[in-house]
Amino acid sequence: MGPLISSPCAAFRDSVRSFVAEGRVNRLDGLALRITSLWGLDKQPKRVDIGVNKATWRVGGYWLSSGLTDEKDRIVRSQRLLARLSEDFCGVIAVPRFVPVDSGFVVEAHGRVWWLTEHIEGRQPDPSCQSDMEAVARGLSMMHDLLREVPRSYSVSDDNFEQLFRYGEQMVSDVRLKFSSDDLAVARHAAEIVVEHLGLIRRSGMQITHGDPSNPNLLMDMSGSRLIGALDWDNAHYDHVLSDIAVVAQTILFRSHSDEQLDYLREVIAAYVSSGGTDFTIDEVLTSVIMVLFEAISHHGNRYVLGHGSYEHVGDRVANMRIVLGLMNR
């Protein structure tokens, strides 16, 4: 067995820490009730499962979140970025607003950090609805245009698209992941495709990106005509805008259940471009999806070898690479 990959990737650290928190559900619920009094709230917190890296509760018109104390710097950086974006976005796209207490925006108590944000109204986009995803693309183009003016110093995460791809490229060869020789051949070929396209992917330059514009983190108006909110900026970083587009493309390819995936994806890319976004080719977008799949292998692969995750979340990524490679050959 080979050693775990040593890297600064925050996703690796978060995946391990999350399992420490999972064993404290009942205790955390009790602590959450006590912590809400610091903000003068008297409603019962209701636990909501929205991810593995933090605990979250709905408290009336607010969201209470909690993580381990070594996450404080990331949360402070997130608050700083969102404070700026709430002004820069000027009501066009809503972002979470941190609610202050006497000690600031982040409370340290009971060996954890706690923060409160205001609720944002809206509905999640439906990946099977093309008009929803085109609205997402137009909104993402507007976000990228506004984020272009935000200095790199406002990054929340220090990771980037290429770095995470390289971690996954290394991780896929770990014998503990049990990839077959055919799987490894597919992964190696996919990695070669990425390397060939890196020059083109880099041509749009670097800027602050959202980091994870998956459908749970996006909100639309009830008519589905436009994107009105963007949540969870914990992974916002200085990167290629294709790193965000790849997440949207992955949603279309693997969650829309469309029989015409390429046509659907082309229309969504066209909506992004028509709103002022960079005009990427379909192969550039598909290559970026492969990079996201390698990133997932780095994240879920490390969880699996540590005994904290299902192999299904790892093995499926190479299967998805096969699908993407097949689309690139059409």
Side-chain angles (χ1 to χ4, degrees):
M1 297 193 302
L4 290 180
I5 295 173
S6 175
S7 81
C9 178
F12 295 172
R13 298 192 301 271
D14 290 347
S15 65
V16 176
R17 290 198 300 264
S18 66
F19 289 93
V20 177
E22 285 176 6
R24 304 178 181 177
V25 172
N26 293 333
R27 174 175 174 269
L28 282 178
D29 286 341
L31 292 176
L33 181 59
R34 294 166 61 184
I35 291 294
T36 54
S37 64
L38 297 177
W39 281 275
L41 302 178
D42 57 6
K43 291 186 177 292
Q44 180 76 30
K46 296 181 180 180
R47 183 70 170 265
V48 180
D49 183 14
I50 59 173
V52 299
N53 296 326
K54 62 186 176 186
T56 306
W57 297 262
R58 179 73 185 271
V59 191
Y62 302 93
W63 292 92
L64 177 68
S65 300
S66 178
L68 299 186
T69 54
D70 58 356
E71 297 174 6
K72 182 178 179 179
D73 179 63
R74 177 185 287 219
I75 304 309
V76 170
R77 292 167 73 175
S78 176
Q79 186 278 324
R80 178 172 175 259
L81 171 64
L82 290 171
R84 168 158 181 155
L85 296 187
S86 65
E87 297 181 3
D88 289 1
F89 286 7
C90 198
V92 175
I93 297 176
V95 296
R97 293 171 62 92
F98 279 61
V99 182
V101 290
D102 291 342
S103 58
F105 291 97
V106 181
V107 173
E108 291 189 69
H110 308 290
R112 301 182 65 83
V113 290
W114 307 77
W115 62 100
L116 191 76
T117 54
E118 296 176 352
H119 176 68
I120 300 175
E121 294 292 343
R123 68 170 179 84
Q124 292 181 11
D126 178 357
S128 66
C129 177
Q130 184 169 325
S131 61
D132 273 16
M133 298 309 294
E134 288 179 2
V136 164
R138 291 191 295 270
L140 189 60
S141 177
M142 286 190 294
M143 276 205 298
H144 284 161
D145 184 53
L146 294 167
L147 288 169
R148 199 166 291 122
E149 303 303 318
V150 179
R152 181 176 184 172
S153 59
Y154 277 84
S155 294
V156 177
S157 169
D158 295 324
D159 297 327
N160 65 65
F161 201 32
E162 291 187 42
Q163 177 189 52
L164 295 172
F165 157 66
R166 294 297 186 186
Y167 294 154
E169 185 185 17
Q170 295 174 56
M171 190 71 202
V172 77
S173 299
D174 192 310
V175 296
R176 290 169 293 186
L177 296 188
K178 303 181 295 186
F179 284 121
S180 68
S181 57
D182 286 344
D183 287 337
L184 291 174
V186 169
R188 282 193 293 269
H189 178 52
E192 290 170 357
I193 296 290
V194 171
V195 172
E196 290 174 6
H197 284 80
L198 279 178
L200 293 173
I201 288 173
R202 292 169 180 154
R203 69 183 168 88
S204 61
M206 305 276 280
Q207 66 168 80
I208 297 291
T209 59
H210 179 279
D212 186 18
S214 54
N215 281 22
N217 293 334
L218 302 174
L219 296 173
M220 305 188 66
D221 62 357
M222 297 312 294
S223 69
S225 62
R226 67 186 185 93
L227 187 69
I228 60 172
L231 312 175
D232 196 352
W233 291 76
D234 292 358
N235 294 306
H237 51 271
Y238 191 74
D239 212 338
H240 310 293
V241 293
L242 261 174
S243 62
D244 278 350
I245 295 171
V247 176
V248 175
Q250 180 177 233
T251 298
I252 291 169
L253 295 180
F254 306 125
R255 292 185 56 203
S256 69
H257 307 295
S258 171
D259 293 329
E260 301 293 338
Q261 295 167 307
L262 281 182
D263 289 341
Y264 187 172
L265 184 55
R266 285 191 179 97
E267 292 299 320
V268 171
I269 296 171
Y272 177 82
V273 174
S274 68
S275 296
T278 303
D279 188 1
F280 295 107
T281 69
I282 191 69
D283 278 355
E284 288 168 351
V285 174
L286 292 175
T287 300
S288 71
V289 173
I290 292 175
M291 294 176 73
V292 167
L293 293 171
F294 273 108
E295 176 184 342
I297 288 175
S298 71
H299 175 61
H300 293 291
N302 271 271
R303 292 183 64 188
Y304 174 74
V305 298
L306 289 170
H308 299 316
S310 167
Y311 182 75
E312 178 183 357
H313 296 300
V314 185
D316 282 354
R317 309 302 171 167
V318 174
N320 287 344
M321 286 182 196
R322 284 189 174 91
I323 293 173
V324 176
L325 291 172
L327 292 172
M328 294 181 79
N329 289 330
R330 287 189 182 181

